[in-house]
Amino acid sequence: MSLFSSTGGFGAGGTGMFGGTTTDNHNPMKDIEVTSPPDDSIACLSFSPPTLPGNFLIAGSWANDVRCWEVQDNGQTIPKAQQMHTGPVLDVCWSDDGSKVFTASCDKTAKMWDLNSNQSLQIAQHDAPIKTVHWIKAPNYSCIMTGSWDKTLKFWDTRSPNPLMTLQLPERCYCADVVYPMAVVATAERGLIVYQLENQPSEFRRIESPLKHQHRCVAIFKDKQNKPTGFALGSIEGRVAIHYINPPNPAKDNFTFKCHRSNGTNTAAPQDIYAVNGIAFHPVHGTLATVGSDGRFSFWDKDARTKLKTSEQLDQPISACGFNHNGNIFAYSSSYDWSKGHEFYNPQKKNYIFLRNAAEELKPRNKK
């Protein structure tokens, strides 16, 4: 039985293979647990590109490690390898051919991990922790983009110790995304910059933030022609902004929506408001997933402006998420994100990565 074929082996009801009779709510959606998850909070997840046969998942953690699993079609996960930094690993990405993984760390370095030889070597250096790492594949160049708390964005040829280019940011880099030929970087103090990457990277536009609170995550979305056309930006105040770069009608086309709040979003009663920790767009349907400090994931259709699904509540925040290359698998990680301070840290609580069949639940609403 193939769990991750598009027909969907384990139905949308999420009755997993491990029928849950216990009261333990670490996995209320009965999703598949990845074996041997990291021993500290999981900061980032990334699936292998379509050029690689099969599915491989990378996770970086606050235990200073980055791990690789093979995800088989029956849902089994096989730990394949791991590498270490000397500080927490905050971001990971793949090269377009699937042969290398790039890792960004609080140790102020980024490394290139060659999966074939299982060797890892430093390819980038900043003066403060590196928060984001992205692979850029252009017709005339390929490079790594790193964003740091040292308020710079640097571009690296993996063969040279010096950056190809350094761009000053207005503030510390908090999150970024790349879909060639576009990059977007969100910084502290609500800074927001779009870059164009053709020929060589350059600043395209600074945007006044559509959100009033600290930026937490950003993801670029594409139009029907598969070209990057805008981005979704999440904040710590349970809100996501959908922002088009050149919309026909900015006042109408750009909007924000509330999410990851207790007792729903349409209420006058006081509510607990949680951070949006991650946003990922479905590679086929263009719908999106958000994950939050409230311990829930939600699926949304931005074009119909409707929510497709919200999960049951996990007993920990969801710290990161991502889709595999064909959109059949949704991965999300359950870890304490320190959003409630050290008083709420429980070292006994384990960290988990869950896999869910996403083929059906992220189909857009039928257009009326």
Side-chain angles (χ1 to χ4, degrees):
M1 178 180 90
S2 171
L3 288 173
F4 294 127
S5 65
S6 38
T7 52
F10 61 116
T15 50
M17 301 188 293
F18 320 106
T21 47
T22 58
T23 53
D24 172 22
N25 61 339
H26 79 277
N27 184 11
M29 301 304 287
K30 310 285 189 290
D31 288 330
I32 289 179
E33 295 184 20
V34 171
T35 53
S36 305
D39 297 321
D40 203 342
S41 295
I42 297 154
C44 47
L45 298 171
S46 183
F47 273 106
S48 51
T51 44
L52 219 53
N55 289 290
F56 294 85
L57 178 64
I58 300 281
S61 88
W62 282 76
N64 304 355
D65 63 350
V66 52
R67 301 185 181 202
C68 176
W69 296 263
E70 182 180 359
V71 181
Q72 298 184 318
D73 282 348
N74 65 1
Q76 275 192 303
T77 48
I78 303 163
K80 300 298 274 189
Q82 81 171 50
Q83 288 286 342
M84 299 297 294
H85 273 267
T86 56
V89 179
L90 300 183
D91 200 14
V92 290
C93 72
W94 291 77
S95 63
D96 62 294
D97 65 1
S99 68
K100 313 271 195 307
V101 165
F102 301 94
T103 55
S105 171
C106 287
D107 65 16
K108 308 178 190 173
T109 73
K111 291 183 175 182
M112 176 171 71
W113 178 11
D114 184 318
L115 294 171
N116 297 318
S117 65
N118 199 23
Q119 298 297 306
S120 179
L121 58 98
Q122 181 181 334
I123 51 139
Q125 177 77 46
H126 280 265
D127 297 328
I130 304 180
K131 182 64 170 66
T132 65
V133 62
H134 290 85
W135 172 255
I136 297 172
K137 174 75 171 161
N140 62 324
Y141 71 94
S142 34
C143 71
I144 280 292
M145 180 183 93
T146 52
S148 167
W149 293 342
D150 68 9
K151 306 184 186 178
T152 65
L153 194 62
K154 294 186 181 183
F155 299 84
W156 307 84
D157 180 318
T158 57
R159 297 158 301 196
S160 163
N162 296 315
L164 298 168
M165 179 186 286
T166 301
L167 298 175
Q168 293 301 315
L169 295 171
E171 250 293 351
R172 288 152 293 168
C173 174
Y174 276 173
C175 49
D177 196 18
V178 168
V179 174
Y180 185 84
M182 173 175 155
V184 60
V185 175
T187 71
E189 303 296 336
R190 298 170 46 247
L192 199 50
I193 310 174
V194 176
Y195 298 88
Q196 74 77 35
L197 304 173
E198 282 180 87
N199 298 321
Q200 65 171 21
S202 63
E203 190 171 312
F204 175 73
R205 184 183 298 163
R206 297 202 176 197
I207 296 173
E208 187 176 345
S209 178
L211 300 175
K212 295 185 172 65
H213 294 265
Q214 186 185 92
H215 296 158
R216 186 98 172 112
C217 50
V218 68
I220 291 172
F221 58 82
K222 301 174 181 178
D223 59 18
K224 297 281 185 277
Q225 285 72 47
N226 216 29
K227 298 269 195 302
T229 189
F231 56 84
L233 177 68
S235 77
I236 60 165
E237 188 245 347
R239 196 183 289 270
V240 168
I242 301 292
H243 192 93
Y244 290 84
I245 301 301
N246 290 314
N249 186 341
K252 198 156 129 296
D253 300 337
N254 295 334
F255 65 98
T256 70
F257 63 90
K258 298 176 196 162
C259 49
H260 302 288
R261 299 176 175 215
S262 67
N263 61 36
T265 51
N266 303 322
T267 168
Q271 47 181 193
D272 296 325
I273 296 176
Y274 297 87
V276 184
N277 286 333
I279 300 174
F281 280 91
H282 193 280
V284 177
H285 302 312
T287 48
L288 66 149
T290 61
V291 299
S293 291
D294 59 341
R296 297 179 193 271
F297 63 79
S298 293
F299 300 151
W300 312 83
D301 180 340
K302 72 171 171 47
D303 300 322
R305 301 194 185 188
T306 53
K307 187 195 295 187
L308 302 172
K309 182 186 187 72
T310 292
S311 73
E312 301 295 321
Q313 188 169 27
L314 280 67
D315 62 0
Q316 292 191 98
I318 303 180
S319 58
C321 68
F323 291 102
N324 76 322
H325 66 86
N326 64 9
N328 284 347
I329 312 173
F330 175 63
Y332 60 101
S333 55
S334 158
S335 291
Y336 187 49
D337 58 5
W338 296 80
S339 56
K340 294 184 174 181
H342 68 90
E343 309 87 2
F344 285 80
Y345 172 58
N346 176 356
Q348 263 64 60
K349 270 212 185 306
K350 287 194 170 73
N351 301 277
Y352 296 94
I353 302 171
F354 299 109
L355 304 177
R356 182 174 186 82
N357 186 312
E360 291 300 317
E361 291 178 335
L362 279 111
K363 285 188 171 159
R365 279 285 150 85
N366 295 328
K367 297 284 184 285
K368 290 282 185 284

